[in-house]
Amino acid sequence: MADNGLILVTGAAGQLGAVGRTVTGLLLDRGLPVRAMVRREDDRAAALRAAGAEVVVGDLLEPADVARVVRGCRRVYFGMSVSAGYLEATVIMAAVARDVGVDALVNMSQMTVSQMSLQHTTPSPQQRQHWLSEQALAWSGLPVVTIRPTVFLEGFFLPLTGPSVRDRSRIELPFGRGKTNPVAAADVARVVAAVLADSGPHLGRIYELTGPRSQDMHAVAREFSDALHREVTYADISPEEWERELNRAGLPEHLTGHLVTMGELHRADRYDRQADGVERVTGRPPMSVWEFVSLHAEEFGGRRS
Ligand SMILES: NC(=O)c1ccc[n+]([C@@H]2O[C@H](COP(=O)([O-])OP(=O)(O)OC[C@H]3O[C@@H](n4cnc5c(N)ncnc54)[C@H](OP(=O)(O)O)[C@@H]3O)[C@@H](O)[C@H]2O)c1
């Protein structure tokens, strides 16, 4: 049974995957009260307020801010941008959640953590921080639900392949013949919202989330072609070329290091994954690449009639 206690959603303004923003909307649609935490007052904060959320401004790296926003909430979604302070923010959230005594903490992680151990980490600073964050939350004794999605369609494929598909009808990534099974952040948000709405049965669980099909990038390009009614091909660029492009884009070092590792792991076929978390939690199958590209056709340069 869903109860009506206040739910805190962090990272609610949304930027890339915008899981927090979508979760806020889904919970409000269910008639549940939401406190949406944002970093600053802007149009996105105003839109959340207009949708019916209580909007609070704060910094997840500032313990006093986190204590102020968590106090009064029964359940929490914790997620923020891929960034250097992720582990610190997680431990601050754990300390506060213990002090407040929340009923559920839904933690955004990554599916790569499923393959990590003391002997096997990865060079990605973000993946290492998620791995350590999960351990710190386990030690905390908090009622945690862990969400481990694979690569996002919104937060990875849209920004990183959108421009080349738009300009050259080409997906340019250093994935070699590696398979991948990206998941829509919209589906990830549906899982998080379902867990927050009725957290009891999910406490202590780990949900791995993928799309419906693991395939190589040539097959992914065929789904793009079918959705856009024009030929989209896959170009396997070298890891060095990709790293140069990411550096040219001026991204923070932490994010570039993470994306370079994602490229290497794809090339080594470590993203060949299949998990049923989306359907198990929401009762609906995950979105395919074809469905996603159809929905976002304009951002990929439009569909030929
Ligand atoms: N992208 C992928 O392929 C992928 C795959 C699996 C898992 N994940 C995980 O998904 C999470 C990211 O989710 P997402 O894409 O939904 O996030 P997102 O859209 O990038 O939104 C994150 C939000 O966090 C806010 N934020 C950042 N630093 C903050 C701070 N210090 N205090 C308060 N708020 C802060 C940002 O605010 P501003 O917008 O104001 O900066 C932003 O709105 C990460 O844990 C990542 O590891 C991502």
Side-chain angles (χ1 to χ4, degrees):
M1 265 295 284
D3 76 40
N4 282 329
L6 188 58
I7 301 172
L8 174 68
V9 176
T10 68
Q15 198 181 39
L16 280 173
V19 171
R21 191 177 65 216
T22 310
V23 166
T24 300
L26 292 169
L27 293 173
L28 291 171
D29 287 349
R30 288 175 184 243
L32 295 167
V34 181
R35 180 176 289 169
M37 182 185 183
V38 299
R39 224 192 323 204
R40 65 185 81 94
E41 274 297 345
D42 57 16
D43 292 353
R44 301 173 305 171
L48 289 164
R49 201 172 280 118
E54 174 198 344
V55 177
V56 289
V57 178
D59 184 346
L60 285 163
L61 289 164
E62 205 40 74
D65 286 7
V66 179
R68 172 173 50 81
V69 304
V70 174
R71 208 161 295 288
C73 295
R74 300 306 320 150
R75 284 156 282 165
V76 175
Y77 164 68
F78 174 69
M80 67 183 244
S81 318
V82 170
S83 52
Y86 213 100
L87 176 59
E88 187 179 344
T90 308
V91 176
I92 292 170
M93 176 56 79
V96 170
R98 274 170 61 94
D99 191 59
V100 170
V102 302
D103 297 334
L105 176 62
V106 180
N107 177 45
M108 173 59 70
S109 186
Q110 293 198 357
M111 198 161 167
T112 306
V113 172
S114 303
Q115 306 170 331
M116 291 170 80
S117 66
L118 290 173
Q119 285 74 28
H120 295 102
T121 55
T122 80
S124 156
Q126 183 70 20
Q127 288 166 349
R128 295 168 87 108
Q129 292 201 21
H130 276 303
W131 175 63
L132 287 168
S133 293
E134 283 198 22
Q135 291 182 55
L137 288 174
W139 305 330
S140 75
L142 283 161
V144 173
V145 184
T146 306
I147 310 293
R148 288 185 186 162
T150 187
V151 57
F152 286 177
L153 284 164
E154 288 87 338
F156 186 96
F157 278 84
L158 193 51
L160 294 172
T161 69
S164 67
V165 170
R166 212 164 38 232
D167 299 343
R168 298 182 284 287
S169 288
R170 283 205 331 193
I171 299 172
E172 297 166 355
L173 287 171
F175 290 1
R177 297 292 304 196
K179 291 185 176 174
T180 192
N181 191 356
V183 66
D187 283 330
V188 176
R190 289 196 301 111
V191 169
V192 171
V195 169
L196 285 167
D198 184 14
S199 50
H202 303 286
L203 296 181
R205 299 244 166 110
I206 296 173
Y207 291 111
E208 296 181 333
L209 311 178
T210 69
R213 178 170 324 112
S214 187
Q215 53 193 347
D216 72 14
M217 289 305 300
H218 296 290
V220 169
R222 282 195 291 279
E223 291 207 47
F224 271 68
S225 305
D226 290 347
L228 297 175
H229 301 171
R230 59 189 161 89
E231 194 185 11
V232 175
T233 55
Y234 169 55
D236 177 26
I237 61 174
S238 73
E240 295 75 23
E241 189 182 343
W242 202 50
E243 188 166 353
R244 272 196 301 276
E245 260 181 49
L246 295 172
N247 284 329
R248 263 199 300 276
L251 302 175
E253 196 183 332
H254 177 93
L255 181 55
T256 301
H258 176 53
L259 294 171
V260 165
T261 302
M262 286 178 81
E264 285 165 2
L265 295 180
H266 267 97
R267 213 172 175 81
D269 216 12
R270 293 263 304 276
Y271 273 78
D272 179 10
R273 300 162 171 173
Q274 188 72 50
D276 65 354
V278 172
E279 184 149 12
R280 199 142 51 92
V281 176
T282 69
R284 267 171 45 194
M287 198 182 289
S288 66
V289 170
W290 180 89
E291 285 172 282
F292 180 79
V293 176
S294 301
L295 271 174
H296 294 269
E298 288 313 311
E299 290 150 276
F300 287 109
R303 187 183 288 114
R304 187 168 292 160
S305 54

